[in-house]
């Protein structure tokens, strides 16, 4: 045997080389990101400031950490000291922000400069007598701490730099001088402030003459983004009810003494409870605290927001003045443990009904990171944890749903499910209900004119133009992946109403195109109106999807009608929106300068663009929009107030990536995936994908959701186009296996759960031989496509040969570069193209 085998190797050279597949079918499990139980503990102390003893106890699980803070005595400037500033905001309706507020020792008043994003901001303090200082302490507001600044002192004839700070990120910042300085004038020069979505300002509470001890705090790192209710086990405290303030953040960059985002930030009335941090009054006896939405005293004092999504949590011995007399900002607090009651979907090896693995570890990790991003948005819809702006709904309360993001809005939006829905079906089939609960609920809230709300926010009234089309497309996806006939027939009248009533009423009958009025927004609230390629391409996709649903229900008249309309709209898009000058679809008919990733991607996916146009549009966008962190969603900044050419959405990038795979550009799709997802995995929080990117960072600062289901498109893209498995008929009754074989990949394999049982696919590409092994359940049919070489064998029998047409029992279709075997029935099969 050995001699014979050796002979084969010698004779057949390269052909006998085997591919190094992992040894077993569990190796994919090494990439799983989710916590493996609901009890999650921190993995590291990221930072600790002030008087904190034995912080490591919070990681090691043994012993007790103690935070201690003395009653504070603040140093004061000599009486008669004055302050002047480069600018002062106000006085205005919200108050006066004079320079003098920085030296009045009143912690409720601040100096606020008047010039957003302009530097330097300068504060000059003049004392009537000489003072000797070992340093100064800058106390700033939560929003507006100086990041880079110098402190200069007047030596009688000139200014000398006595202290210089870069990268400050604390509201209390000590500036120690290298030696004592005796002076009567001191000057603070700020050259960078805390970044803020509403403009960067310097906001100084006090500039104290001397070094004031730092507030004791510990920042715990949970190692990855997590969501749920924080629990703290206190072992005791001083008897003065010391206060604890807790701030959460998905990134270190946006961690301050208030959370990067909290429910109170968007809430009002009873849903606006906190200033952004959660407060605790610690009793002297041991006590267990769970972060719960509400207030401990009088309905308004010592309050917390409850659920948070975060990677970092900052625990400080501190209090806010409005909580007096129930908390104080000094004493000591002993903490035994901090943990999280994780509430989202727990993705364990056994919960994965489908999986993916290939020869590229980076792509594998993206797939499982995307799965985790989706998992932490699958949670129970609860009154106190959903988006506070009118999203609570009795028909959703208590149900499992898929939210848009873990941190915010925490409302299930149907457009987001266009991506996150597919990610569910391909990973955790038992969570499909998280999508169907939402789709059903939105259908039940359809308006009498046929419009379907995008989400429950504002009591189901947020006017989005595109999301009712996503309801159609996501309904088809759900039916396609699950074969839920009952859903299809129950909500079929809703499908008819939205496509036959509402969208016709929004159609400009002179062009046949949807005409977006100014009263409607879209997925990014872009101020673009009229005939928009994105909306019309999505309309075509939705009409085609609706026809598939009608066909599934044997309602061929509707199917024919909707296909005809899709064809007509396709022609109209080509007629009115194709820009032959650059060779891409315009964003809107009224502006001849702008071209969008969303419209071009969907026009290709929906089949509007013929092959020539698809290649041209992808060339154009590939050259014009590529950035180191993905492809921008527009090719210029001409949408008012927009940063289209630097903003990247993984949501719309998914359309572009699919379009590239569909147009035979697997390598450019993989390149885009590596730039886009590589940018996100290389930064905090590390394993979850963000709502949007600008200049390589979170596009809306701390408010940005850093775990957004609509950014998980890499998962379905890899499953559909690298593994190559795509359902064609509901429940995979028919499916295609058509891998794109990107360069550099030698194998891929994966499994998907179907209504008929599991489908397993494995391919190798070695030395010009493509081998596809697959196992499919009885009752299913597979259409298998391989690159055209010399011959194709199915289960050892030659079914196609370049030199003669072999007649076999299987239908064979020839493409320009490919061979397809049509309708391979269930069983274990091997297809070889060589
Ligand atoms: C399967 O592969 C994984 C990763 O390579 C490894 O950790 C595991 O031990 C293997 N299991 C078996 C049964 O060999
Ligand atoms: C601090 O300033 C606030 C706002 O101007 C004022 O209401 C308060 O009385 C001041 N506190 C003291 C101790 O002066
Ligand atoms: C420096 O100044 C501080 C504060 O005024 C004072 O406590 C300290 O004794 C001085 N140190 C020296 C070496 O003069
Ligand atoms: C602060 O200064 C450092 C060091 O000069 C610099 O790298 C950084 O970009 C500055 N930060 C900002 C926000 O300007
Ligand atoms: C704040 O800055 C310090 C010093 O540069 C750094 O060690 C710490 O990690 C930063 N903290 C945050 C939350 O960025
Ligand atoms: C706090 O919870 C821990 C763990 O469940 C328990 O052992 C302890 O007795 C609780 N402490 C108090 C004061 O309830
Ligand atoms: C975790 O939170 C969920 C949801 O509020 C609750 O049902 C469950 O009892 C909590 N588990 C623990 C251990 O506190
Ligand atoms: C939401 O709208 C429905 C239907 O118009 C109405 O019956 C209900 O009272 C509203 N709910 C709230 C909280 O406003
Ligand atoms: C366009 O025509 C359809 C009938 O074909 C009609 O239902 C619809 O209201 C018209 N649209 C507008 C905006 O008038
Ligand atoms: C695509 O359509 C354009 C005209 O709109 C035509 O010139 C071109 O030949 C077509 N390409 C294909 C591949 O049909
Ligand atoms: C840029 O355009 C050229 C054709 O003009 C095309 O060959 C190339 O692939 C495009 N580059 C990208 C990154 O799409
Ligand atoms: C189209 O975009 C250009 C380029 O930014 C802009 O100057 C112009 O105002 C826009 N035109 C319309 C009609 O919106």
């Amino acid at each position: 045997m050995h001699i014979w085998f050796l002979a084969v190797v010698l004779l057949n050279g390269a052909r006998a080389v085997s591919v190094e597949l992992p040894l077993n079918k569990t190796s994919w499990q090494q990439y799983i990101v989710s916590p493996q139980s609901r009890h999650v503990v921190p993995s590291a102390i990221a930072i600790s400031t002030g008087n904190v003893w034995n912080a490591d106890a919070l990681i090691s699980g043994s012993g007790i950490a103690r935070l201690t803070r003395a009653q504070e005595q603040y140093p004061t400037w000599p009486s008669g000291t004055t302050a002047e500033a480069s600018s002062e905001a106000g006085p205005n309706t919200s108050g006066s922000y004079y320079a003098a507020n920085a030296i009045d020792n009143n912690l409720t008043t601040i100096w606020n400069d008047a010039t957003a994003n302009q530097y330097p901001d300068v504060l000059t303090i003049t004392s009537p007598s000489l003072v000797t200082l070992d340093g100064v302490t800058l106390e700033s507001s939560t929003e507006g701490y100086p990041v880079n600044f110098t402190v200069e002192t007047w030596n009688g004839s000139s200014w000398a730099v006595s202290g210089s700070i870069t990268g400050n990120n604390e509201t209390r910042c000590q500036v120690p001088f290298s030696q004592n300085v005796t002076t009567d004038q001191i000057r603070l020069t700020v050259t960078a402030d805390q970044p803020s979505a509403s403009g960067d300002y310097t906001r100084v509470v006090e500039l104290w003459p001397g070094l004031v001890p730092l507030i004791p705090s510990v920042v715990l790192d949970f190692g990855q983004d997590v969501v749920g209710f924080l629990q703290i086990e206190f072992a005791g405290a001083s008897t003065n009810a010391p206060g604890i303030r807790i701030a959460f953040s998905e990134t270190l960059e946006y961690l301050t003494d208030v959370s990067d985002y909290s429910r109170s930030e968007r809430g009002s009335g009873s849903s606006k409870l906190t200033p952004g941090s959660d407060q605790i009054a610690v009793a002297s006896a041991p006590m267990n605290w769970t972060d719960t939405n509400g207030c401990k005293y009088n309905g308004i004092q010592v309050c917390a927001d409850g659920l948070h999504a975060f990677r970092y949590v900052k625990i400080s011995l501190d209090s806010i003045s409005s909580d007096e007399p129930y908390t104080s900002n000094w004493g000591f607090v002993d903490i035994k443990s901090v943990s999280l009651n994780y509430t989202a979907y727990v993705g364990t090896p056994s919960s994965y009904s489908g999986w993916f693995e290939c020869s590229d570890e980076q792509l594998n990790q993206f797939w499982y990171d995307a799965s985790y991003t989706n998992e932490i948005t699958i949670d129970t819809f609860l009154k106190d944890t959903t988006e506070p702006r009118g999203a609570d709904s009795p028909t959703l309360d208590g149900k499992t749903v898929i939210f848009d993001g873990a941190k915010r809005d925490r409302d299930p939006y149907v457009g987001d499910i266009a991506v996150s829905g597919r990610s569910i079906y391909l990973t955790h089939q038992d969570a499909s209900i998280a999508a169907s609960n939402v789709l059903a609920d939105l259908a039940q809230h359809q308006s009498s004119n046929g419009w379907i709300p995008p989400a429950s926010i504002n009591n189901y009234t947020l006017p989005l133009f595109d999301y009712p089309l996503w309801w159609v497309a996501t309904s088809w996806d759900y039916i396609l992946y699950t074969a839920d006939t009952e859903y299809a027939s129950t909500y079929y009248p809703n499908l008819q109403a939205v496509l036959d009533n509402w969208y016709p009423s929004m159609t400009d009958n002179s062009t046949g195109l949807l005409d977006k009025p100014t009263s409607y927004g879209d997925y990014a609230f872009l101020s673009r109106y009229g005939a928009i390629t994105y909306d019309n391409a999505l309309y075509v996709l939705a009409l085609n999807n609706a026809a598939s649903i009608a066909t599934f229900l044997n309602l061929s008249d509707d199917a024919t009608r909707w296909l005809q309309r899709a064809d007509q709209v396709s022609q109209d898009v080509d007629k009115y929106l194709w820009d032959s000058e650059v060779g891409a679809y315009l964003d809107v008919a009224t502006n001849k300068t702008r071209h969008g990733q969303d419209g071009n991607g969907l026009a290709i996916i929906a089949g509007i663009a013929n092959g020539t146009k698809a290649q041209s549009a992808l060339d154009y966008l590939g050259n014009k929009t590529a950035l180191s962190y993905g492809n921008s969603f527009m090719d210029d900044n001409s949408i008012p107030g927009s940063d289209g050419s630097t903003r990247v959405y993984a949501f719309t990038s998914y359309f572009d990536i699919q379009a590239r795979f569909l147009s035979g550009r697997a390598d450019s799709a993989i390149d885009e995936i590596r730039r886009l997802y590589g940018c996100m995995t290389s930064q905090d929080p590390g394993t979850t994908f963000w709502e949007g990117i600008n200049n390589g960072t979170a596009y809306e600062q701390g408010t940005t959701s850093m775990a957004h289901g609509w950014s998980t498109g890499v998962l379905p893209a890899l499953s559909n186009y690298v593994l190559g498995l795509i359902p064609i008929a509901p429940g995979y009754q028919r499916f295609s296996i058509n891998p794109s074989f990107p360069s550099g990949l030698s194998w891929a394999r994966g499994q998907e759960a179907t209504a008929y049982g599991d489908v397993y696919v494995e391919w190798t590409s070695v030395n010009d031989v493509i081998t596809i092994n697959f196992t499919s359940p009885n009752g299913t049919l597979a259409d298998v496509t391989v690159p055209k070489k010399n011959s194709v064998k199915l289960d050892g029998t030659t079914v196609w040969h370049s030199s003669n047409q072999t007649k076999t029992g299987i239908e064979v279709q020839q493409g320009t570069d490919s061979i397809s075997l049509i309708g391979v029935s269930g069983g274990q099969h091997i297809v070889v193209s060589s």
Side-chain angles (χ1 to χ4, degrees):
M1 272 306 264
H2 278 107
I3 293 168
W4 178 82
F5 180 73
L6 187 65
V8 171
V9 172
L10 289 174
L11 289 172
N12 236 338
R15 296 266 162 103
V17 172
S18 70
V19 182
E20 280 182 44
L21 280 166
L23 293 170
N24 63 61
K25 288 188 187 173
T26 57
S27 51
W28 58 271
Q29 294 171 6
Q30 68 188 292
Y31 299 103
I32 293 177
V33 177
S34 172
Q36 295 298 290
S37 86
R38 296 204 176 279
H39 182 78
V40 185
V41 295
S43 55
I45 307 286
I47 306 164
S48 129
T49 61
N51 189 347
V52 178
W53 178 75
N54 200 25
D56 284 343
L58 304 180
I59 303 303
S60 67
S62 70
I64 283 169
R66 172 171 289 195
L67 280 64
T68 308
R69 185 172 172 187
Q71 255 182 301
E72 280 176 347
Q73 301 278 319
Y74 306 120
T76 53
W77 294 97
S79 132
T81 300
T82 57
E84 269 181 77
S86 50
S87 71
E88 294 171 336
N92 58 34
T93 48
S94 52
S96 310
Y97 302 97
Y98 305 124
N101 292 343
I103 55 165
D104 65 355
N105 235 336
N106 182 334
L107 303 190
T108 65
T109 64
I110 63 168
W111 163 55
N112 196 138
D113 80 290
T115 56
N117 312 321
Q118 281 178 41
Y119 301 102
D121 297 332
V122 183
L123 177 73
T124 309
I125 294 171
T126 306
S127 161
S129 54
L130 291 169
V131 290
T132 298
L133 301 172
D134 54 356
V136 294
T137 305
L138 182 66
E139 180 90 345
S140 321
S141 289
T142 290
E143 202 180 325
Y145 52 76
V147 171
N148 286 350
F149 61 93
T150 59
V151 174
E152 292 161 292
T153 48
W154 182 253
N155 66 13
S157 55
S158 64
W159 289 105
V161 176
S162 297
S164 165
I165 300 285
T166 54
N168 171 52
N169 50 32
E170 298 283 347
T171 53
R172 179 171 296 181
C173 180
Q174 291 182 335
V175 189
F177 297 165
S178 57
Q179 59 187 55
N180 279 4
V181 173
T182 299
T183 184
D184 58 2
Q185 255 195 323
I186 188 159
R187 184 162 81 178
L188 170 76
T189 304
V190 179
T191 53
D193 282 314
Q194 178 187 12
S196 162
S198 55
D200 305 356
Y201 288 97
T202 300
R203 296 190 170 108
V204 174
V205 176
E206 291 297 320
L207 184 65
W208 283 307
L211 298 174
V212 175
L214 296 179
I215 295 165
S217 74
V218 183
V219 175
L220 300 175
D221 179 0
F222 277 69
Q224 66 193 55
D225 213 19
V226 287
V227 67
F229 299 100
L230 196 77
Q231 302 170 321
I232 304 183
E233 196 177 349
F234 290 102
S238 49
T239 54
N240 63 323
I244 287 287
R245 292 184 71 188
I246 305 181
F248 300 84
S249 182
E250 293 185 297
T251 63
L252 252 195
E253 184 179 8
Y254 294 107
L255 179 68
T256 66
D257 53 355
V258 297
S259 300
D260 56 355
Y261 167 81
S262 66
R263 193 177 142 81
S264 286
E265 190 178 320
R266 285 188 171 174
S268 55
S270 64
S271 58
K272 190 174 193 67
L273 301 174
T274 75
S277 57
D278 290 343
Q279 280 62 236
I280 311 173
V282 187
S284 57
M287 67 176 239
N288 287 339
W289 176 85
T290 298
D291 203 334
T292 308
N293 183 269
C295 302
K296 185 141 197 260
Y297 297 102
N298 311 320
I300 51 165
Q301 284 175 293
V302 190
C303 303
D305 275 315
L307 178 133
H308 291 273
F310 65 98
R311 173 171 169 174
Y312 302 94
V313 58
K314 180 173 185 174
I315 300 174
S316 309
L317 198 174
D318 198 10
S319 64
I320 53 178
S321 52
S322 56
D323 282 347
E324 283 168 12
Y326 300 105
T327 58
S328 45
N329 68 358
W330 59 276
F332 72 85
V333 168
D334 287 340
I335 304 179
K336 191 165 187 310
S337 72
V338 178
S339 61
L340 180 75
N341 176 4
Y342 181 86
T343 55
Y345 189 92
V346 178
T348 64
S350 61
S351 74
Y352 277 88
S353 55
W355 51 268
F356 169 87
E357 191 181 9
C358 71
S359 58
D360 188 299
E361 288 184 8
Q362 186 189 38
L363 297 179
N364 293 340
Q365 196 58 63
F366 291 162
W367 198 93
Y368 291 89
D369 288 350
S371 177
Y372 181 57
T373 301
N374 227 41
E375 287 156 20
I376 78 165
T377 65
I378 299 172
D379 212 331
T380 310
F381 189 100
L382 298 171
K383 184 180 193 318
D384 289 341
T385 64
T386 186
E387 149 77 67
R389 294 172 301 180
D392 181 38
S393 161
T395 54
L396 284 174
D397 284 339
K399 288 191 178 154
T400 299
V401 298
I402 180 148
F403 292 109
D404 56 340
K407 179 172 72 181
R408 53 145 279 272
D409 297 347
R410 290 196 75 79
D411 198 21
Y413 284 85
V414 71
D416 304 50
I417 295 177
V419 189
S420 62
R422 290 181 181 179
S423 294
I424 296 179
Y425 315 138
L426 291 169
T427 54
H428 306 292
Q429 207 186 37
D430 64 352
S432 299
I433 191 155
S436 60
N437 278 341
V438 176
L439 300 181
D441 184 64
L442 294 175
Q444 286 159 17
H445 286 87
Q446 185 171 36
S447 300
S448 55
N449 64 7
W451 179 78
I452 295 176
S456 64
I457 189 167
N458 276 338
N459 197 12
Y460 298 95
T461 62
L462 184 73
L464 297 194
F465 192 72
D466 51 341
Y467 275 38
L469 293 171
W470 283 125
W471 180 85
V472 175
T474 54
S475 288
W476 167 240
D477 277 354
Y478 171 69
I479 293 162
L480 180 60
Y481 279 90
T482 65
D484 186 339
T485 325
E486 197 189 326
Y487 174 88
S489 49
T490 305
Y491 298 105
Y492 193 76
N494 304 90
L495 182 67
Q496 290 174 310
V498 71
L499 288 179
D500 292 342
N501 298 345
W502 198 68
Y503 282 107
S505 76
M506 292 287 140
T507 299
D508 174 350
N509 286 322
S510 68
T511 60
L513 293 172
L514 293 181
D515 186 20
K516 182 173 169 246
T518 52
S519 48
Y520 284 88
D522 60 17
Y523 67 90
F525 293 93
L526 301 170
S527 41
R528 52 178 180 180
Y529 308 101
I532 296 168
T533 302
Y534 160 72
D535 292 319
N536 282 284
L538 178 55
Y539 191 28
V540 172
L541 183 73
L543 287 163
N544 286 330
N545 288 170
S548 299
I549 297 174
T551 303
F552 178 53
L553 297 176
N554 292 318
L555 298 163
S556 58
D557 288 355
D558 280 352
T560 306
R561 212 159 47 76
W562 287 331
L563 287 175
Q564 276 167 357
R565 200 193 308 167
D567 189 52
Q568 187 55 53
V569 177
S570 291
Q571 291 175 34
D572 294 334
V573 168
D574 256 350
K575 182 171 167 192
Y576 294 103
L577 289 158
W578 178 254
D579 178 358
S580 53
E581 234 165 86
V582 307
Y585 291 96
L586 293 166
D587 181 34
V588 294
T590 50
N591 197 310
K592 305 295 177 200
T593 63
R594 193 172 63 243
H595 310 84
Q597 179 185 54
D598 53 1
N600 280 281
L602 283 176
I604 295 167
I605 293 169
I608 298 170
N610 70 17
T612 319
K613 285 178 170 160
Q615 296 298 344
S616 163
L618 291 172
D619 270 350
Y620 176 76
L621 291 181
N623 282 291
K624 191 85 182 181
T625 65
L627 298 163
S628 63
Y629 52 94
N631 286 12
S632 64
F633 88 116
M634 289 288 155
D635 64 344
D636 71 17
N637 296 328
S638 62
I639 295 181
S642 153
D643 43 17
S645 68
T646 56
R647 185 187 292 194
V648 172
Y649 282 114
F651 176 59
T652 54
S653 298
Y654 175 49
F655 312 147
D656 191 36
I657 288 165
Q658 287 177 86
R660 286 172 195 279
F661 277 121
L662 287 167
S663 307
R665 296 179 173 225
D667 289 356
S668 85
I670 297 286
D671 172 64
E672 185 172 349
I673 284 172
R674 288 197 206 280
R675 281 181 286 117
L676 170 60
Y677 289 94
C679 160
M680 294 189 276
T681 52
S682 69
Q683 298 179 61
D684 258 351
T687 55
T688 51
F689 299 132
W690 324 341
E691 183 184 16
I693 312 177
N694 201 344
N695 296 322
T697 179
Y699 82 137
E700 288 177 342
Q701 290 79 28
T703 306
T704 310
S705 161
M706 302 306 275
H708 227 62
W710 82 358
S711 296
T712 61
V714 64
L715 190 160
L718 291 174
S719 293
N720 289 335
Y721 303 109
V722 172
L723 184 61
L725 182 53
I726 304 185
I728 299 171
Y732 293 63
Q733 194 273 324
R734 183 167 211 124
F735 58 91
S736 73
I737 300 175
N738 184 7
S740 57
F741 305 108
S743 18
L745 262 59
S746 56
W747 58 267
R749 65 184 182 189
Q751 180 172 301
E752 288 170 24
T754 82
Y756 299 83
D758 291 337
V759 179
Y760 173 77
V761 177
E762 172 184 301
W763 63 255
T764 62
S765 167
V766 170
N767 296 325
D768 223 27
V769 180
I770 299 280
T771 307
I772 299 179
N773 275 289
F774 70 99
T775 310
S776 55
N778 287 335
T780 63
L781 295 173
D783 299 340
V784 186
T785 300
V786 287
K788 190 193 269 183
K789 298 179 190 288
N790 286 319
S791 72
V792 176
K793 285 184 180 173
L794 171 63
D795 301 330
T797 304
T798 302
V799 292
W800 175 86
H801 198 281
S802 55
S803 59
N804 66 328
Q805 294 295 316
T806 316
K807 284 280 167 225
T808 62
I810 193 88
E811 184 190 341
V812 177
Q813 288 178 357
Q814 285 200 58
T816 324
D817 303 311
S818 63
I819 298 297
S820 298
L821 314 185
I822 305 300
V824 183
S825 52
Q828 200 175 337
H829 300 286
I830 175 164
V831 177
V832 180
S833 178
S834 60

